[in-house]
Amino acid sequence: MQVDIRDKVIVITGAAQGLGRTLALGLAREGARIAVLARSSAKAAGTVDEIVASAPDAPKPMAVVADVSDENQVRAAAEAVDARWGRVDALISNAGWMPPAGTMRVLDFELADLRRILDSNLVGCFLVTKHFAPIMIRGGGGRIIYVGSMVGTQAGPGSGAYGASKAGVHLLSNVVHQELADQGIRTVALAPGLTVTPGMRVAASEDHIARVSARYPGGRVGQPEDIVPFAAFLCSPAAEHLSGTLVGIRPITG
């Protein structure tokens, strides 16, 4: 079966920058209808403008403003997408926050920072699922991609809070599969390794990036563009039988 996402309605959270922005641009070039969801209206509109400029033949995208940790805003965002297109075929729950590496040690963390991580990375996944999945179900089903992290499978010192939030995302993906698979919902949690984004540049030192790069194919860490083809596959009918699983995106090193 051919990987084809033309005219699929795909909602991407955290799409104003980093991986979310790259996914929005890349999937739009494949013909998808992209809803760019971000907290900043100016940044969401900026991604929409980039899509229009780089993929003029793609369906016109829409900008949607919402903080994924605010249920009222997420509800309104879902209603806006539904009013525009009448369906949602895929949701990529990507929005999140990564603190600087090693700054969240268990005995030293600030509660406000812990809550920010959990709200952004985990609570947001619950809320977008709650309000976008019913639109998918009404239309016969759809795909939810939760962007987790390899840190959610094995975290180092100072990464307990971020790792715990991403481990929760991985678990949520499987539970949603169990609860909604019979209503047509397919889920997968992606767990990228070190990937070059603005957040990663803040969180990881140059020494750490260099050490990891030496173990990766071609001597480089992941790029957001590396994930676009896989996301396109997951959003297509070709991935219909894949659900409830965690997919790690990094080399196996000994």
Side-chain angles (χ1 to χ4, degrees), residues 37-195:
L37 193 151
R39 289 184 300 172
S40 165
S41 59
K43 289 183 178 180
T47 300
V48 166
D49 290 343
E50 284 189 79
I51 292 172
V52 171
S54 65
D57 296 329
K60 187 175 180 180
M62 70 178 294
V64 187
V65 179
D67 180 337
V68 295
S69 68
D70 185 312
E71 184 165 14
N72 289 332
Q73 293 185 32
V74 172
R75 182 186 294 110
E79 291 171 352
V81 175
D82 195 17
R84 169 74 176 271
W85 284 310
R87 72 178 201 274
V88 172
D89 300 302
L91 165 67
I92 302 179
S93 186
N94 164 77
W97 181 61
M98 178 188 297
T103 61
M104 291 284 289
R105 299 183 74 88
V106 174
L107 300 186
D108 301 323
F109 71 85
E110 296 293 335
L111 183 56
D113 289 336
L114 175 61
R115 286 178 170 156
R116 179 182 177 185
I117 290 172
L118 294 175
D119 282 348
S120 298
N121 298 354
L122 184 55
V123 172
C125 287
F126 273 88
L127 290 178
V128 296
T129 301
K130 177 181 178 181
H131 291 286
F132 282 98
I135 303 173
M136 295 183 184
I137 293 168
R138 188 190 67 208
R143 164 71 67 182
I144 304 177
I145 299 173
Y146 297 97
V147 179
S149 170
M150 291 306 294
V151 180
T153 65
Q154 185 175 12
S159 300
Y162 182 77
S165 73
K166 291 300 186 178
V169 170
H170 301 167
L171 183 63
L172 174 63
S173 175
N174 181 262
V175 171
V176 173
H177 159 74
Q178 295 179 62
E179 293 181 355
L180 301 180
D182 62 352
Q183 298 180 72
I185 299 298
R186 302 290 180 262
T187 71
V188 69
L190 297 184
L194 200 61
T195 304

